[in-house]
Structures are given as C-alpha cells and as structure tokens.
C-alpha cells in the first residue's frame, strides 16, 4: 500500500510532470472544443514527438489531452449547438437551449463541475476495482454487444421530442447511412453507387457538424432581426443546493459511464447518450422540460462521458485491450516505450498503473481549474451580432469537416447534411437520432454477424444462448422493458396504478 501511495504522489510532485499534465489538459480542452479536431488525432500526432521521451513524461501529456478533450467538446455544444466531439452530442440537447435563455455561464459551470465529479468516479473505480471490472467486461460476447447497441437505438424515445414516429424514422435513417461504404468483413461495396469517395463511408463527425452546426445557422436566418441574448455570467460555479440536488443523478450516470467505457469498442459518446436517457427516465418533475434547458440533461451526459475515461483505461491496463480509440493509440505508445499492457503489467510494473491513476487525478483537477476560468470570454461568442456569428459558424464547420481526413468530400457531406438538418428541424424532426443511428449501426452490424457466425448461422441456437446466458438474458429483458415502457399499454398501467397522476 505504501508503494502504491509513493507511486501515486510521484506523479504530483515532479514539476515537469505537473507542467506537462497542465499543458496537455489545457490543450485538450481547446482541441475538444473545435469540431473536427479529435483527441485521437492529437494523441496520435504526439506519439511521433514523444517516442524519445521518458514514458512518464509522454503519458502525462497524453493523459492530460485525453481528460481535457472529452470535457472540451461541451463548450461549443452549449454555446453554438456544435458538439466539439461525439461525446458532447447529448450535452447540446439541453445546454444550447440554456444558452439561448442567457444561462450559458451557468450551463458551462455545471457541466464543468459534473465532468470533474464523473472523472473522479471513473478514476476511483480504476484504482479500486480495475481487475473486477475488467473480468466483467471480458464476459461480453458479440451478442451482448449487439443487444447493447439495440438498447442504444431505443434511446430514440428520449431524443425524439414530441413524436416517437419521427424519432424512429430519423434513427433508421442514421442506421442506413452507417452502412454506406465497404463491408468491414467482406470488403463488398454497400450503397457506394460506384463512387470511390463513398467507399470510405460517411464520416459521423462530418454528419454531426452538418446536422447540428450548419442546420442551426440556416435555421437562425429566420431570426436575424432578433437581438443577441445577454448572457448572465455572474453565477458560474453551481450553488451548493444544486450540487446536493444533482449529486445522486451524477453518481448514477457516472456508474453508467464507467461500465460503458470499460467495454472495448464503445466509448464516451454511447455512455453519454445512455446517461441522458437514464436521466430523463429517473427525473420525475424537472424544473424545465428536457430539450428546453433541463439541468439534468447536462448532469447526466457530462458525468458519464468523463467517467468513461477512467473506464476506458481499465481494460487497457489490465487486459491489454483498448476501451476506445484513444486508449488504442496510448497502447501503441506504451509498446514503443517497451511496456506490455495486460495482466502482467500490474505485477511487473505496478508503478506504471499507480502513476496513471495519480496523473489522471491531476489532469481532472486541472480540468476543473481551466474549465471554470475563461467562461466570461467564451460566452461573448454567443453575444456576437448574428450577422457575424453565423458566417463564423459556417467557416468553423467547413474547417472542422475538412480537417477530419483532409478531404473535400467530407465538406460536401457536411453541407448536404446541414441542409437536410435544416429541413428536419423545420418540420419537427430531431437530428439527434440520426447521429445516434450512424454511431451505433457499425456496432450492431458487426456484432450481429459475429454472433450468428459463432453459432454457425443457427438462429435457434442464437436465441437459446441469449436466454441461457445470464448477461445476455438481463440485457434482453431490459430491452423488452424499455419497449414496453414506450407503449400506450404501459402508460395505461401506470395511470391505473396511480390514478392521481391520470387526473393531474
């Protein structure tokens, strides 16, 4: 135990490691805030600069960028309705309506504190229960990942607004768009129409920037005559009563974030969307309806996506399996430095495990400090005259879309989806389910086929395994309950059980 504590504090006491962690976190926040600049890309570039460094110095910088980048996407999601990263999609659903009411400072302050809390929960689980969580994560078979994706698709009920039918249509459209490109198993072309550019598929980030950012700029052209809303930034740090009120929800969604983050191939975007759905289900009487500026709609996803950071490190350090794209790159960096992530790392190099825990804790603290500073300057963006702000949004969208693959085709996709998103919003269709569909389509497609192949294409054996496996059975019956809860029958049962609610 004393050795663990000495390794833990070693990451805090060396000035150069403190400085690198601070620089990495600061850079990560602003990289995450710019659409199209991903944390994965930043960490990948860093490998070429840091391969000659000591491993602790390289990891300090990468850990800081990872922690800061996941949080940073919320800034532009709240201020401009352009999520800086897929993990901030759910944040935009209630964060941007708060900004339109003049509460951007309050929204950013709340998201920062809840991101800090979620990150801290993820780090605690990493430190205390990494072997247990990794053993649980490795139990997931392809059919379980498929069921998890189906659960995610059912979130359209939370993202659909007033019409579930429109939400289902938008989600199905997203899943269809997710199949465009080369088949990942057979390399057969799907919906490419002979175009070489379409063989790479449609970039989810380009789609996200278009549907959220460009469509909002086009929609606001109808309101050019309205003055910009003055933002209230006198109260940035959430009150103690707010923290006490939302802490139980934050703890619940942080737990969701850690578990989803620990599952290889998932990540903070799926965790945030599931957390948003959970927040919507458990919050009985929000002060403001969800989708119109509910604080619970910020607490859930922001706690979950930062908790998923600690979760993603669990399979990486204990099993040598990356939890998401960023940890896949970090594994490569560890190999370059002569380390071998996996079960033997905790035995042969316990100092590396505890250094990572301590360094992530430090990055989380820096994220809180940097996140709560500069908010007044950031909120000035949304107070710009609309004639200046909307061209700026379009320019930022074009740069973000092009920077994904340095490809003009991504820019055209982004602009096309911007026009599509404009008409969808105009006619009452939510754009969130489209993004959800394209994110989850690959997870569902791949794992459905792996599951059925593992059962030798025997469909009865597939369903038998789904019922007899405890984990699969729990996921399957959870899906049935979610489906039932979205039907008129369930509402009738609830009204019969609570007659006062029906009369109210």
């Amino acid at each position: 135990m004393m050795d663990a504590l000495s390794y833990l504090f070693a990451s805090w006491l060396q000035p150069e490691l403190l400085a690198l962690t601070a620089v990495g976190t600061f850079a990560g926040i602003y990289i995450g805030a710019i659409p199209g600049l991903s944390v994965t890309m930043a960490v990948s570039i860093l490998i070429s600069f840091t391969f000659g460094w000591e491993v602790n110095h390289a990891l300090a910088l990468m850990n800081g960028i990872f922690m800061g980048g996941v949080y940073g996407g919320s800034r532009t999601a709240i201020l401009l309705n352009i999520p800086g990263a897929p993990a901030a999609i759910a944040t935009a659903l209630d964060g941007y309506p708060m900004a339109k009411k003049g509460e951007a400072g309050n929204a950013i302050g709340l998201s920062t504190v809840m991101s800090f809390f979620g990150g801290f929960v993820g780090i605690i689980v990493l430190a205390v229960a990494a072997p247990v969580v990794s053993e649980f994560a490795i139990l997931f078979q392809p059919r379980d990942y498929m069921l998890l994706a189906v659960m995610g698709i059912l979130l359209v009920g939370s993202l659909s607004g007033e019409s579930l039918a429109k939400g289902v249509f938008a989600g199905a459209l997203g899943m269809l768009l997710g199949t465009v490109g080369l088949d990942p198993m057979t390399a057969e072309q799907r919906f490419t129409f002979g175009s070489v550019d379409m063989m790479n598929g449609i970039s989810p980030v380009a789609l996200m920037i278009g549907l959220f950012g460009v469509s909002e700029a086009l929609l606001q052209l109808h309101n050019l005559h309205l003055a910009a809303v003055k933002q209230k930034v006198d109260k940035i740090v959430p009150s103690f009563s707010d923290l006490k009120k939302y802490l139980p929800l934050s703890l619940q969604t942080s737990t969701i974030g850690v578990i989803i983050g620990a599952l290889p191939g998932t990540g903070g975007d799926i965790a945030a969307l599931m957390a948003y759905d959970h927040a919507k289900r458990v919050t009985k009487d929000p002060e403001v309806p969800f989708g119109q500026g509910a604080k619970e709609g910020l607490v859930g996803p922001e706690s979950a996506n930062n908790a998923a950071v600690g979760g993603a490190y669990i399979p990486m350090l204990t099993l040598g399996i990356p939890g998401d794209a960023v940890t896949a790159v970090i594994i490569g960096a560890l190999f370059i430095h002569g380390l071998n992530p996996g079960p033997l790392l905790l035995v042969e190099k316990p100092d590396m495990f505890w250094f990572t825990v301590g360094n992530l804790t430090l990055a989380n603290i820096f994220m809180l400090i940097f996140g709560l500073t500069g908010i007044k300057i950031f909120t000035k963006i949304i107070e710009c005259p609309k004639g200046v702000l909307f061209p700026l949004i379009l320019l930022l969208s074009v740069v973000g879309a092009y920077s994904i693959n340095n490809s003009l085709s991504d820019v055209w996709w982004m602009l096309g989806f911007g026009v599509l998103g404009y008409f969808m919003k105009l006619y009452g269709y939510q754009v969130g389910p489209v993004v959800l569909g394209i994110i989850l389509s690959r997870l569902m497609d791949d794992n459905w086929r792996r599951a059925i192949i593992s059962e030798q294409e025997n469909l009865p054996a597939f369903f038998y395994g789904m019922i007899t496996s405890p984990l699969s059975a729990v996921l399957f019956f959870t899906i049935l309950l979610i489906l039932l809860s979205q039907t008129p029958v369930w509402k009738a049962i609830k009204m019969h059980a609570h007659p006062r609610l029906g009369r109210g």
Side-chain angles (χ1 to χ4, degrees):
M1 185 65 185
M2 291 304 296
D3 286 341
L5 288 174
S6 63
Y7 294 139
L8 197 66
F9 287 109
S11 62
W12 293 52
L13 300 178
Q14 294 183 34
E16 63 270 24
L17 291 175
L18 281 168
L20 285 169
T21 308
V23 169
T25 308
F26 183 82
I29 290 173
Y30 290 93
I31 288 169
I34 300 173
L37 295 185
S38 69
V39 178
T40 310
M41 179 179 67
V43 174
S44 301
I45 293 170
L46 275 179
I47 288 181
S48 60
F49 289 101
T50 61
F51 72 91
W53 294 13
E54 289 184 22
V55 63
N56 287 359
H57 292 71
L59 270 180
L61 195 58
M62 292 179 190
N63 291 340
I65 285 181
F66 191 8
M67 186 63 77
V70 172
Y71 157 74
S74 64
R75 288 286 177 98
T76 44
I78 292 169
L79 294 174
L80 303 174
N81 200 28
I82 310 177
I89 291 169
T91 304
L93 299 175
D94 284 283
Y96 184 63
M98 286 183 71
K100 289 202 290 187
K101 296 176 184 177
E103 300 174 5
N106 192 4
I108 294 175
L110 183 64
S111 69
T112 303
V113 174
M114 291 304 162
S115 293
F116 169 77
F117 182 77
F120 196 60
V121 170
I123 293 164
I124 289 174
V125 175
L126 170 64
V128 175
V132 177
V133 176
S134 63
E135 285 177 17
F136 172 72
I138 208 168
L139 292 175
F140 271 69
Q141 299 179 39
R143 65 168 172 263
D144 300 318
Y145 280 104
M146 186 207 75
L147 290 169
L148 194 66
V150 172
M151 283 178 63
I153 289 297
L154 294 178
L155 297 181
V156 295
S158 294
L159 306 179
S160 298
E162 296 178 357
S163 172
L164 179 62
K166 289 180 178 179
V168 170
F169 170 79
L173 175 63
M175 291 191 68
L176 178 65
L177 293 171
T179 62
V180 174
L182 293 179
D183 186 299
M185 289 192 174
T186 64
E188 288 288 330
Q189 296 185 32
R190 300 190 296 193
F191 305 112
T192 59
F193 305 103
S195 169
V196 176
D197 287 335
M198 292 183 70
M199 288 170 67
N200 288 328
I202 298 171
S203 167
V205 179
L207 177 138
M208 179 186 73
I209 294 171
L211 287 178
F212 280 94
V214 176
S215 67
E216 187 64 31
L218 294 175
L219 199 65
Q220 290 298 328
L221 291 176
H222 295 278
N223 302 317
L224 283 176
H225 61 284
L226 299 176
V229 178
K230 186 73 176 173
Q231 298 296 321
K232 293 177 279 187
V233 290
D234 54 330
K235 185 184 175 185
I236 293 171
V237 179
S239 65
F240 181 76
S241 59
D242 272 358
L243 292 177
K244 185 179 177 182
K245 178 181 178 181
Y246 299 124
L247 206 58
L249 176 62
S250 181
L251 185 59
Q252 294 169 34
T253 52
S254 296
T255 305
I256 293 171
V258 174
I259 294 171
I260 299 298
L263 300 178
T266 52
D269 46 358
I270 297 174
L273 289 163
M274 287 192 165
Y276 184 84
D277 178 70
H278 176 79
K280 197 169 182 180
R281 290 178 189 280
V282 301
T283 305
K284 301 302 180 187
D285 297 302
E287 294 177 6
V288 180
F290 278 84
Q292 297 178 29
K295 289 183 178 179
E296 293 87 351
L298 279 178
V299 172
E302 282 302 301
S303 299
N305 59 23
N306 273 75
V309 174
Y313 275 85
I314 292 172
M316 184 195 85
L317 292 174
T318 58
L319 302 172
I321 301 171
D324 61 5
V326 181
T327 48
V329 177
I330 294 175
I331 280 183
L334 292 176
F335 276 121
I336 289 171
H337 287 279
L339 296 172
N340 190 13
L344 293 178
L345 183 69
L346 295 179
V347 178
E348 296 174 351
K349 284 279 187 180
D351 57 319
M352 188 52 57
F353 177 83
W354 290 109
F355 170 80
T356 302
V357 171
N359 195 244
L360 285 173
T361 306
L362 195 61
N364 201 38
I365 292 170
F366 279 127
M367 183 202 73
L368 179 67
I369 295 168
F370 294 142
L372 292 176
T373 55
I375 291 179
K376 291 184 179 181
I377 298 172
F378 257 91
T379 52
K380 293 295 180 185
I381 295 172
I382 204 170
E383 294 179 4
C384 288
K386 294 186 176 181
V388 175
L389 181 61
F390 297 141
L392 186 65
I393 291 174
L394 288 173
L395 178 63
L396 189 65
S397 300
V398 169
V399 172
Y402 182 78
S403 65
I404 302 164
N405 297 309
N406 293 333
S407 170
L408 272 176
S409 62
D410 285 334
V411 177
W412 292 119
W413 279 120
M414 179 270 297
L415 292 173
F417 283 117
V419 175
L420 174 66
Y422 166 75
F423 284 107
M424 288 180 70
K425 290 180 177 180
L426 207 59
Y427 289 99
Y429 289 83
Q430 297 294 319
V431 297
V434 182
V435 182
L436 177 68
I438 198 169
I439 287 172
L440 292 176
S441 62
R442 179 72 178 268
L443 185 68
M444 185 185 294
D445 183 19
D446 290 1
N447 286 289
W448 153 250
R449 292 161 74 183
R450 286 182 186 131
I452 203 68
I453 289 170
S454 68
E455 298 291 353
Q456 300 177 346
E457 301 187 8
N458 186 336
L459 201 58
F462 171 78
F463 284 109
Y464 179 75
M466 190 180 292
I467 296 169
T468 54
S469 165
L471 184 57
S472 300
V474 168
L475 290 171
F476 179 68
F477 286 112
T478 302
I479 288 170
L480 291 181
L481 283 173
I482 293 173
L483 283 171
L484 181 64
S485 70
Q486 295 182 3
T487 61
V489 176
W490 182 261
K491 291 178 181 176
I493 293 170
K494 284 180 69 176
M495 292 177 92
H496 180 73
H498 304 283
R500 291 181 183 178
L501 293 177
R503 289 196 297 270

